[in-house]
Every structure is written in structure tokens, then in C-alpha cells.
Amino acid sequence: MTTESDALRLLPEQLTAPIDLDSLGFTTTDDLEPFLGILGQDRAVEALQFGVAMHRSGYNVFVMGEPGTGRFSYVMRYLKAEAKRQITPQDCLYVNNFDEPREPWVLSLSPGTGSALLADIDKLIDNLLATFPAVFEHPAFQQKKSAIDRGFNQRYDRAIDSVERKALEKNIAVYRDAQNIAFTPMKDGKALDEAEFAQLPEEERERFHVDIATLEEVLNEALSSLPQWKRESSNQLRELNEQTITDSIKPILEPLLEQYSGNSAVCDYLQLVRQNLLKTVIELLVDERALEPRPEAYKKQLLTEQYCPSLIVGHADSGGAPVVHEPHPSYDNLFGRIEYSSEQGALITSYRHIRPGALHRANGGYLVLEAEKLLGEPFVWDALKRALQSRQLKMESPWADMGRLTTVTLTPEVIPLSVKVVIIGSRHLYYTLQDLDPDFQEMFRVLVDFDEDLPRNPESIESMAQLLKTRTSEEGLAPLTAAAVARVMTHSARLAEHQHRLSARISDIFQLVAEADFTRQLAGDPLTDTAHIERALQAKETRTGRVSARIREDMLSGVILIDTDGAEVGKCNGLTVLEVGDSVFGVPARISATVYPGGSGIVDIEREVELGQPIHSKGVMILTGYLGSRYAQHFPLEISASIALEQSYGYVDGDSASLGEVCALMSALSRTPLKQGFAITGSINQFGEVQAVGGVNEKIEGFFRLCLARGLTGEQGAIIPRSNVPNLMLDQSVLDAVKAGLFNIYAVSQVDQAMGLLAGQETGVADDKGHFPEGTINARVVGRLREIAELQREDEGGHGTDQTEAKPRGRV
């Protein structure tokens, strides 16, 4: 057994893979060239280049990978570099639709000229305010206006004079004021008052009444054309006003029309402004009916709201295509919104209340979104698909379809949409969208897949060292020594959980270097060395290690029952991994198994109480297949057994405990004590082969720290799958204990190897007939299973006799 145990024991050099300092070829990172590009992501780089260069519809990009791999920063950097070489899209403005203000129009201008048009219109408004109403006070205009008024008054006066002459012939006087015309009897050239008129003879009074009635008819006939005179006068005055306005704004508008002669849409808009000004100038600037003159600022505000375009998107004339990242992709932030203002208790809006979204700003370029945030916003995903499919940017409120928007709103003209959307998300979300959304594959045909790790070779090591030099230079951190770089590389391999790979989660590496630089500053050292890296790692473990320390204290005090010496039947120490926030640590857990006669099979207590998750339950169910195929070829497997992960009160998942569970079950069947100084992890298949598991480094270190706290005896150790040996990147304290012979790590590939280590005796190898040597563990397991099967058959036979004998007695 000693020979077999030694063969399974791993050597210290198998437990880690340090970096050879001599192979680095530099003293500090100052000796290195800066790194350009993305580390170890050739597949992703090629896919992104293809996606950006492909301009056909539907070739939007989904960047897949885990956070921290540099996917976002590289995508933004690459897109900005490519966008600089592309055509700058046109500026976009909304202008007033004078015929239907609820449907504003879109104007497109050359890049950089949108703001210039706004300045020109603002200057036009200032010129209008300076021109009106001053032009109506000019003597030439006043003379023409007076002539029109005089012509009307002359017609009126001639009509009244003719009536007055007829009245005088009848001794009747005509009195007129601004509003009324009255007739008064006269006698002896003097107008009579009411008392004098009453003293006249009745016949004379009656004659006056008849004459006055006749004169009123004459007056009505003379003034019957008065409305027509008024209309003619008003038309003449309106024509005069329009001609005056036209002549006055011509020198103001003509330069603008000439300036924008190359843009027919702007010229058409300016012509419409010219037509609308004929009405607006009179209403806003020359309204003589107003009780109080309007302030200049108020007039300018009214004109601005009427004529000044609303700039939606403006670009620099040489800025290239836009690259927009929207960190909060809500509906309004993506598609824009229409704002409202309150006026006398009512909500009003206009084209100048239109606010652009990220799609407006990214139109003609690239829009970068994060999948998790995008899919968490209501209405956004479906609206984004509609916009990309129709290639139109339509501004509408999603609340209107739900009946929650009851006020008057706008329907702006649709803007043509030409944008490449780049979504950054996890693998889980990518595959979920593929499964659930039939449109997704048609719209996002380019997949950019960022790996979580990269091969560990001289090229990648050199590139990572150059990347560290680049980042420390950019952020003003101290250079790293070659030994510090080597330690960072070792930590990167630890994060990748593989001796021949490095982690691509560059952000974690940069975080470590930044924290190490902080410890360097406290120490006042000029360079970041290995000691600073170690202190940074230890400080983080201390900050996040409260839960693991508390669990270890409970084990040491006996609250959690874990033995690290002695031997017990049906018990062994399994290895588990817990994740609490960003802290991942290993914790030993006792696995127990009991066996008794019956036909219940192997009962997984975790599954029965619904704490066992599917993968864990699958691992336990495989035990039945393994036991049956290995030990019950000549008799039925008729046992009742229960397996539990003791003192586990939360959900349990993963099948890494199945190797420990089968060993505990074999111990219970053969009544063989298992050494409690061992902890074991590994998954098995139905043929008893041990398979790799995750978190092997944390699991070993978790059990090691418990043994260290209780005192290392040299008899303690961990048993792991042979296939997990390349994943070992253990802490230096574990390596030192292994080198000193105080702690051992064994790698197994079969259940029998693990059972032999735990029991300290031969498990037994079957002969050609499938029989195990007498006295071995496997032979005792077969004997126990056979004994239980025979007991079961005898029990079933006995019940059958009783039932047969009971029938006649029942009938009597």
C-alpha cells in the first residue's frame, strides 16, 4: 500500500507552475515597449473587424464574454479609430410646419452647419425686431396709410354732406360724432331743444317727424356702401402692410437664401418663413390693439419659438462617424422624447421641445449598448428591433398605446436610420436571445467572442508584461520589477485555474497592480516588487475573509463537526467551494452514509428536502449505477442507504462530492473506517472513473487552513482527481507544508484508489470471474450486499407464506 500511496502522491513541483525569471528578459517594466491591441483575443479581433467592415443590413454585432476581459474598452477604442476614417453624417434639425404645427419637418445640413443655421436664424430674428415696427413709423409708409384713410374718410364725408344739405332744406340740423349721427329740428336757424320742440304746433311737430324719418332713409341709402368702402380700405391697408413687410425683409432674407442656395430644403423653409412673416409681423410686432407694448425679450422669445430650428444632432465637420455609448438605455434615452411645459394649467409642446436620443446621436455611426441593461428596460428591445428592421427613427411615446398619454403630442417627421448597433453581453444572454427571439439571429449576425483565458506561452507572457507597462504608465503607477511581473503572472494562472493558461480578465490583474502600488507608496519604495504584490493579495483576502474565518472558528470550536484525525465508518470529509460576493473560498464538509436492509435504494437526503440541485442529485443517482455494475452482477441490488452532506443548510449543487459519497457508502457497507485526516473531492461516472471538478485550489487550501490551525501531523492531506493536476496553482503556504512532509496531496483516477487511501488497506482487484480476494474492501462490500439481498428475499418469501395461510382463516 505504501508503494501505491507514494505513486499517487503529488510532488511539490506538480502543485504550481512558477514563471522563470530568466526567461522574462527585462529588469523592470520600463525596459518594455508599450502594448497595442487586445491581449490574446485574435478570434474576437478578427470578428469585430469583419462586423465593422460589413455594411449590409442585419450585420449588427454582439460582443460576448465575461466582464473584465477588456471587451468594452477594446470595442470602444477600435470603433473610435475606425469611425475617424469614415464620412461624418449630416446635421439634423427639426423646423416648424406652419400648416400643421403637430407634424414638424426634418432638415439635413452638411456636418457642422446646423449650429451656423441656428445662429443665422437668430440674427434674422434680431434684424426683424430692429426693422419692425420701426418701418411702419417711416413717413413714406405713414403717408400711404394716411392716403388710404383719407380716401375712406372722403367717401364718408361726401355721403354725410349730401344728407346734410337735404336736411337744411327742411330746417333740420345734422349732428355727428365719432359713433353716431343725429337729426335736430331748427327754427329761425336755431336748433330746438325738447321743451321748445314740445311748444310747437302739433302739425309742425308731425311734419318734423316725417322729414326726419325721410332723412334717416336717405342717410341709410347714402351709407349703404360703407362696408364695401371699409373692405376696400382694409384690403388696401393689408396690401400696403404686406408690400412694406416684403420690401423690408427682402434685404434680410436674400443673403440667407443665397448662402444656403445649395440646400433646397433650407431654401424652401426660408421661403415658408417669408410667407408666414406677413401674418406674424402684424400679429406679434405691429399689434396696435395691445393695451401695453410687448417687451423686446418677449417678442424675441415668440419669434424664436416660431422660426428658430431645433438642433437634434450636430457634428464637427471633420469628426468622422459618431461612436455613442448609452450607459442607461431607457426608452427616452435611446429614442428621444417630447417634453411639455405648463401654460395656464394645460400641457403644451412644440417642435422645439423635441429632445434627441442615443440613436439620433449615433445615426450614421455606431451605438454601443450593454445587453443586461438594455433587456431590463421596458419597451426598448422591441422598439430597437423595429427601428433596425425599418431603418427609420420614429419618435413616439410607448405610453400612448397604453392610454396613459392623454395630452396633445407631436408626430415629428421620420428620420432615416443608418446605424450599426454593438451589444456587449454575457454568453448566457446571447444564447437565451438566440433561443427565445427568432429575430435576433437575423439582426445580429456577427458574434465577437472574447475568451476568459489565453495560452501561457512566451508570447502571451511578454504581451501581458507590455500591457502592464502601458497601464502603469497611463495611470501614473510605479514600474514593476521582473519578479513582481512573474508573481502577477502566477496569480493570473491561478485565476485561470490552469498551469498552462493565463486569465484574460485583465481588470482583475490591473486591480491587483493598483492595490500593490498603494502598498508601495505607503512603504516609500520606488518600484513595485513581489512583496507589494503579496501584501496586496493578503490585504484583499483579509478584507473579504470574514465569512471563511468565521466558519473555520466554528470548526475549531466544534460547532461544525469536522475531524482531521482518527478513523470513522461511513464518514469522510468532502471539499466544497462557497462564493460570497467577490470572495471564493473552500470549506470542508462531512459526508455521511448509512446502510440498512430494505428496497428504498440510495436516498439523497439533500434532494429529498429540496436542497440538492439537479447536478448534485445526478451525481448521487450515478452511485446506484456504479454499485450495481461493480458489485451486484450475481444478485439484485436490494439496499436502503441514505447519504447526506452534514450541517449543510443551504442549496447544494455540483457533483464534486460524488467521489466522497461513494467512499462513505463503501465504508458503511464494508464497515471499514476511513481516515479523517483526508479530505476528498471528485466526480465519478458509472464505471468508477474519477472526473475533474472546479475550484480545486480553493478546496485544498480550505482544508489545509483547518489542519494548520489544529496542527499539521504529516498524516493529513487532500485527494483530488488526476485530471485536475494541471489546474493546481496552490498558495505558497501549502507548497511549503508539502515540501516539509507535513501535508500531502494525492491524485486518483479510480474509486478504488481513493478508497485505498482513505481506508489505508487493499480494496481488491476482481479476477476473471468477477470475484474479489477474500478480506479486501471490495469483497466485504459484495458480501454485505449479498447478505442484504438474501435477507430481502427471505423476508418476501416469509410474507408470502403468511398471506397464503391467512386466506382460509379469513374465509372461516
Side-chain angles (χ1 to χ4, degrees):
M1 184 63 198
T2 304
T3 303
E4 183 178 359
S5 173
D6 291 341
L8 299 176
R9 182 184 294 113
L10 296 178
L11 300 176
E13 53 267 25
Q14 295 177 279
L15 306 181
T16 188
I19 301 291
D20 183 12
L21 282 178
D22 296 333
S23 66
L24 292 180
F26 62 89
T27 305
T28 70
T29 52
D30 276 346
D31 303 333
L32 299 171
E33 296 293 326
F35 180 78
L36 303 176
I38 182 78
L39 183 62
Q41 303 289 355
D42 296 339
R43 181 190 298 106
V45 169
E46 183 178 348
L48 184 61
Q49 291 173 347
F50 167 75
V52 171
M54 192 68 175
H55 296 295
R56 290 177 61 85
S57 176
Y59 282 86
N60 297 295
V61 180
F62 192 100
V63 180
M64 182 172 72
E66 297 304 317
T69 55
R71 53 183 187 166
F72 178 80
S73 58
Y74 176 73
V75 166
M76 293 297 294
R77 188 166 63 249
Y78 181 79
L79 291 179
K80 289 179 179 179
E82 287 296 312
K84 288 181 180 179
R85 298 194 288 268
Q86 297 179 11
I87 299 174
T88 306
Q90 291 187 314
D91 291 356
C92 179
L93 307 93
Y94 272 113
V95 296
N96 194 3
N97 181 348
F98 301 112
D99 295 330
E100 180 48 76
R102 291 177 57 187
E103 300 177 3
W105 292 319
V106 171
L107 288 184
S108 296
L109 288 85
S110 301
T113 60
S115 57
L117 177 61
L118 264 65
D120 290 337
I121 297 296
D122 187 70
K123 184 177 180 181
L124 169 67
I125 292 172
D126 289 338
N127 289 334
L128 289 174
L129 291 172
T131 303
F132 302 101
V135 71
F136 291 102
E137 299 170 358
H138 194 275
F141 173 81
Q142 293 294 332
Q143 184 178 2
K144 293 177 182 178
K145 182 182 178 183
S146 298
I148 294 172
D149 293 340
R150 186 165 55 252
F152 172 78
N153 292 333
Q154 286 174 353
R155 283 185 173 185
Y156 181 79
D157 289 341
R158 283 197 296 269
I160 299 301
D161 289 345
S162 65
V163 174
E164 189 172 13
R165 284 194 299 271
K166 292 180 180 181
L168 290 175
E169 292 175 357
K170 298 179 180 296
N171 288 324
I172 295 176
V174 178
Y175 288 93
R176 55 179 171 173
D177 54 23
Q179 301 295 330
N180 299 311
I181 297 176
F183 296 98
T184 303
M186 291 191 309
K187 190 172 184 178
D188 300 330
K190 178 183 177 184
L192 302 175
D193 57 20
E194 291 184 2
E196 293 172 338
F197 181 75
Q199 295 176 0
L200 293 175
E202 183 178 354
E203 292 179 0
E204 193 173 352
R205 290 201 309 271
E206 186 63 29
R207 182 178 58 82
F208 275 121
H209 284 304
V210 172
D211 291 342
I212 289 175
T214 302
L215 288 174
E216 287 178 348
E217 292 178 1
V218 172
L219 177 63
N220 289 336
E221 183 178 354
L223 296 181
S224 61
S225 298
L226 181 63
Q228 180 180 350
W229 302 340
K230 190 64 177 178
R231 284 196 303 271
E232 292 175 356
S233 175
S234 297
N235 290 337
Q236 291 173 357
L237 183 58
R238 184 177 67 252
E239 290 173 0
L240 174 62
N241 288 337
E242 290 179 356
Q243 187 61 44
T244 303
I245 294 171
T246 301
D247 294 341
S248 300
I249 65 177
K250 183 176 181 180
I252 302 175
L253 272 178
E254 287 300 328
L256 283 180
L257 289 168
E258 182 178 352
Q259 180 180 345
Y260 293 97
S261 59
N263 191 318
S264 60
V266 175
C267 291
D268 291 343
Y269 174 67
L270 292 175
Q271 293 291 358
L272 292 172
V273 170
R274 183 202 302 270
Q275 295 296 324
N276 191 259
L277 278 172
L278 298 178
K279 178 180 67 173
T280 304
V281 167
I282 298 299
E283 292 180 351
L284 298 184
L285 303 181
V286 197
D287 190 353
E288 298 178 349
R289 294 170 297 176
L291 296 179
E292 297 180 1
R294 296 188 177 108
E296 289 295 308
Y298 178 71
K299 293 179 181 179
K300 182 169 184 177
Q301 179 184 354
L302 293 178
L303 291 175
T304 301
E305 291 291 329
Q306 187 83 350
Y307 299 115
C308 189
S310 176
L311 182 63
I312 299 300
V313 180
H315 303 283
D317 56 357
S318 60
V323 178
V324 177
H325 167 236
E326 178 50 62
H328 180 205
S330 65
Y331 191 96
D332 289 350
N333 289 347
L334 271 186
F335 295 91
R337 65 186 183 277
I338 299 172
E339 295 181 343
Y340 295 84
S341 59
S342 178
E343 185 173 300
Q344 296 181 354
L347 293 178
I348 62 170
T349 187
S350 71
Y351 74 100
R352 291 183 56 80
H353 287 70
I354 298 174
R355 298 295 176 260
L359 277 170
H360 293 88
R361 299 193 301 273
N363 199 7
Y366 305 92
L367 175 62
V368 181
L369 302 171
E370 296 163 72
E372 288 81 358
K373 298 177 180 178
L374 176 68
L375 297 175
E377 294 290 338
F379 311 113
V380 170
W381 178 245
D382 288 336
L384 179 62
K385 289 194 301 180
R386 287 195 300 271
L388 293 177
Q389 289 169 345
S390 65
R391 306 190 74 174
Q392 291 183 334
L393 184 48
K394 184 178 181 181
M395 187 173 292
E396 56 188 354
S397 173
W399 307 107
D401 295 336
M402 302 179 64
R404 294 181 59 182
L405 190 65
T406 57
T407 188
V408 174
T409 187
L410 303 179
T411 307
E413 185 179 355
V414 173
I415 299 175
L417 180 63
S418 175
V419 66
K420 189 176 288 291
V421 177
V422 179
I423 294 181
I424 300 176
S426 65
R427 286 185 168 79
H428 170 72
L429 273 180
Y430 176 79
Y431 294 124
T432 299
L433 287 171
Q434 270 197 328
D435 291 340
L436 301 181
D437 191 339
D439 300 325
F440 176 71
Q441 189 64 39
E442 291 299 318
M443 295 168 51
F444 291 86
R445 297 178 180 176
V446 181
L447 172 63
V448 178
D449 191 354
F450 277 74
D451 290 330
E452 284 82 14
D453 50 41
L454 55 145
R456 174 176 161 176
N457 52 42
E459 291 77 15
S460 63
I461 291 175
E462 181 181 5
S463 297
M464 184 171 284
Q466 291 176 332
L467 186 59
L468 290 175
K469 182 256 186 339
T470 303
R471 180 56 65 94
T472 52
S473 300
E474 290 175 351
E475 299 189 2
L477 306 180
L480 281 74
T481 64
V485 172
R487 181 64 185 92
V488 170
M489 301 291 180
T490 305
H491 180 68
S492 177
R494 165 68 178 249
L495 293 177
E497 293 190 51
H498 205 286
Q499 296 178 354
H500 305 299
R501 303 195 69 82
L502 297 174
S503 173
R505 299 184 61 176
I506 307 301
S507 63
D508 292 342
I509 302 300
F510 292 155
Q511 179 184 345
L512 172 62
V513 172
E515 293 173 2
D517 187 78
F518 176 72
T519 62
R520 176 202 62 79
Q521 293 180 33
L522 295 178
D525 297 327
L527 299 175
T528 300
D529 206 350
T530 310
H532 305 125
I533 302 293
E534 295 290 355
R535 281 199 291 270
L537 288 170
Q538 184 60 43
K540 182 175 182 179
E541 183 177 348
T542 301
R543 292 194 303 269
T544 62
R546 182 188 66 83
V547 177
S548 61
R550 182 63 180 270
I551 292 175
R552 190 160 54 249
E553 290 174 4
D554 288 344
M555 291 177 181
L556 294 173
S557 64
V559 174
I560 299 176
L561 301 178
I562 298 290
D563 294 329
T564 53
D565 56 12
E568 297 286 344
V569 174
K571 299 178 185 177
C572 72
N573 295 324
L575 293 175
T576 65
V577 169
L578 297 182
E579 295 186 20
V580 180
D582 61 348
S583 176
V584 180
F585 55 91
V587 175
R590 174 175 289 178
I591 299 172
S592 63
T594 58
V595 179
Y596 48 92
S600 302
I602 300 176
V603 177
D604 177 14
I605 292 178
E606 311 297 333
R607 182 181 63 186
E608 294 299 316
V609 297
E610 298 182 353
L611 288 179
Q613 300 298 292
I615 297 177
H616 176 265
S617 300
K618 175 186 175 183
V620 175
M621 294 174 71
I622 287 175
L623 301 183
T624 303
Y626 171 67
L627 290 177
S629 64
R630 185 78 191 278
Y631 301 114
Q633 293 293 330
H634 305 292
F635 52 86
L637 185 63
E638 296 284 351
I639 64 169
S640 290
S642 62
I643 297 177
L645 205 63
E646 302 291 354
Q647 292 184 285
S648 170
Y649 307 107
Y651 291 110
V652 178
D653 202 7
D655 58 354
S656 64
S658 58
L659 178 59
E661 289 167 342
V662 74
C663 291
L665 188 58
M666 291 174 62
S667 169
L669 284 168
S670 63
R671 298 184 176 89
T672 301
L674 301 180
K675 296 179 181 179
Q676 301 300 295
F678 284 106
I680 186 169
T681 184
S683 166
I684 68 166
N685 59 25
Q686 294 187 95
F687 301 101
E689 297 170 333
V690 180
Q691 303 166 144
V693 296
V696 64
N697 293 295
E698 290 81 4
K699 291 176 178 179
I700 293 173
E701 291 167 1
F703 184 67
F704 169 78
R705 290 190 178 99
L706 176 63
C707 295
L708 181 65
R710 287 181 172 172
L712 297 175
T713 63
E715 300 296 325
Q716 299 145 332
I719 301 172
I720 65 170
R722 170 67 60 180
S723 52
N724 272 125
V725 173
N727 303 115
L728 292 176
M729 292 294 298
L730 290 170
D731 187 72
Q732 188 62 41
S733 59
V734 181
L735 300 178
D736 294 340
V738 171
K739 290 178 182 178
L742 299 176
F743 193 79
N744 299 297
I745 299 173
Y746 300 89
V748 299
S749 55
Q750 292 286 336
V751 171
D752 282 352
Q753 294 175 341
M755 189 65 189
L757 288 170
L758 289 171
Q761 55 183 281
E762 293 287 343
T763 56
V765 179
D767 56 21
D768 296 339
K769 297 180 180 180
H771 298 140
F772 295 100
E774 190 69 27
T776 60
I777 295 175
N778 284 332
R780 295 200 297 272
V781 171
V782 172
R784 178 61 173 160
L785 289 174
R786 187 187 302 275
E787 177 185 341
I788 293 175
E790 291 174 352
L791 287 173
Q792 188 71 12
R793 285 199 298 271
E794 291 175 3
D795 187 55
E796 290 176 355
H799 284 301
T801 302
D802 292 342
Q803 292 171 0
T804 303
E805 294 177 352
K807 288 179 181 179
R809 290 197 297 269
R811 286 193 294 270
V812 172

